[in-house]
Structures are given as C-alpha cells and as structure tokens.
Amino acid sequence: MKGLSVIVPAYNEEGAIVETLRDIGRILSGAGIPHEILVVDDCSTDGTVARIMEAGGPEALGARLLRHEENRGYGASIKTASRSASYDVLCITDSDGTYPNARIPDLYRLMEGRDMVVGARVGKNVHIPLLRRAPKAFINALASYVAARRIPDLNSGLRVFTKELFDRFFSLYPDGFSLTSTITLAALTNGYRVKYEKIDYFKREG
C-alpha cells in the first residue's frame, strides 16, 4: 500500500517521546502523506510508556505501540516494527528530538525513482559530541572506500527507504545500532539508488 510507515524506536525516552510522536503526526498530516507511526518500546525502565498512556494512549497520539518484553536493541526494534508496517515505504527516526522530523516529507518526496534517501548530518546546525566526530569521520571514510562512493553519513538514523530494500537484506541486520550502517553498505554495494540530503542534528532531549 502506498504511503509511509514511520518507525520510532524508544528506550528510556520519557522526556521527549510524547512530543516526538505528536510532531510526526502533525507534520505528516499537514503534508497530506498517508502514514502510520509505529513506536517500539524496547523494555524501557523509565516512564516512557507511562508518558504515552498519560497523553491518552498511543491512539491519541496517532501511533501504534509495540513492546519488547526484554531489552533487545535499536536494530531489533526497527525489525519488529518493519514486520507490522502497512505501507510500501519505511522511515526511521529517533525519539529523543535530535533529528529534524519536519524534513520527513522532503525525504519522502525525494524517494521518486530511488530506493533510499538518507538525511546526512552535514547541515548548518549539527550537534555531534566532539568525542564522536573523529571516529565517525574515520568510519565514513572506510565505508566510502568499501562502497567505492563517497558516503557523507554512514549511520544516520533519519532515513526513508522501500520496504522491498529493507526486506531483501533482513537476515543481515544486527540487533544493535549498526543496522543503519549495514543497510547503507548493502544498498550501495548492490546497485540500489541512494540519495543523501543535508539535514541538521540537534542536542538530544532528556
């Protein structure tokens, strides 16, 4: 079915989860994009789920809540949601306010004729901790060498891609944070059409 399934992994994000879900719903409804929001609670130990319930429950926030009974990891959360996705295009974003979710409609529109559009954190306002910058640059350079193509942001957590692409390499994805790196290299080394779009990246909430 044509439309966008937005996947929001959440682990101990009580400070931002409700506002994040509200923002995504408002943005996509305003853009007229058929969509659903799948939030995956990865066995949070704080008040993440309580905040959702206090806001009227996931339905009141325009979302579906999926829950892990034990903490399984970021990648596992995305895989869980992908199995329940209704639409032909998937989007992933974080629940902590770091990514500019207002750009999701732009990334979705850029999918025309493409298999994946990645929000590259190279915009004017990018808040990446100093200790992470050198390792990130090295990993991007190494991945670019492997893929024989410049990769400005290997593991951005704001991206849009076809469900067909995601499902093809499903068995390769780890349960941890490197799922994003894996799908990037899998797509580029197998001839999929990938575009990078500059985005900002903000200091996390909570």
Side-chain angles (χ1 to χ4, degrees):
M1 185 163 57
K2 288 191 69 64
L4 185 63
S5 295
V6 181
I7 298 171
V8 185
Y11 177 67
N12 291 351
E13 297 293 355
E14 63 180 9
I17 187 63
V18 169
E19 192 60 32
T20 295
L21 297 178
R22 282 177 176 156
D23 277 350
I24 294 171
R26 174 181 53 79
I27 289 162
L28 294 179
S29 294
I33 298 173
H35 68 277
E36 63 180 350
I37 303 170
L38 304 171
V39 57
V40 184
D41 174 60
D42 194 25
C43 197
S44 295
T45 58
D46 69 349
T48 296
V49 173
R51 296 292 182 271
I52 292 173
M53 296 308 174
E54 289 166 5
E59 295 83 5
L61 298 171
R64 275 196 283 154
L65 176 62
L66 307 173
R67 302 184 69 177
H68 288 165
E69 294 183 356
E70 59 183 22
N71 182 252
R72 294 170 53 193
Y74 170 82
S77 296
I78 293 173
K79 290 189 284 185
T80 291
S82 75
R83 294 187 182 100
S84 297
S86 303
Y87 291 106
D88 61 340
V89 177
L90 307 180
C91 170
I92 58 172
T93 188
D94 285 357
S95 52
D96 58 9
T98 51
Y99 287 102
N101 291 320
R103 298 295 310 280
I104 293 176
D106 298 334
L107 303 185
Y108 179 69
R109 294 185 187 105
L110 288 170
M111 279 291 291
E112 185 69 33
R114 298 186 174 96
D115 301 295
M116 182 161 65
V117 178
V118 181
R121 294 167 290 181
V122 293
K124 293 181 179 179
N125 185 357
V126 175
H127 184 91
I128 295 177
L130 187 61
L131 288 176
R132 288 173 51 195
R133 292 181 185 179
K136 178 178 170 61
F138 172 77
I139 292 170
N140 283 354
L142 180 60
S144 297
Y145 174 78
V146 171
R149 172 181 169 177
R150 180 177 175 273
I151 301 175
D153 193 343
L154 176 67
N155 59 351
S156 172
L158 177 59
R159 62 181 66 205
V160 178
F161 43 87
T162 64
K163 194 169 187 302
E164 183 275 330
L165 165 60
F166 189 80
D167 288 348
R168 178 180 174 188
F169 301 105
F170 194 95
S171 64
L172 299 180
Y173 303 136
D175 286 345
F177 280 102
S178 54
L179 179 145
T180 47
S181 303
T182 303
I183 192 174
T184 298
L185 288 173
L188 291 175
T189 56
N190 284 276
Y192 281 87
R193 298 158 296 181
V194 179
K195 177 177 175 59
Y196 285 89
E197 178 73 3
K198 290 182 180 179
I199 62 167
D200 294 330
Y201 186 70
F202 308 114
K203 186 175 180 180
R204 63 170 281 125
E205 300 291 338

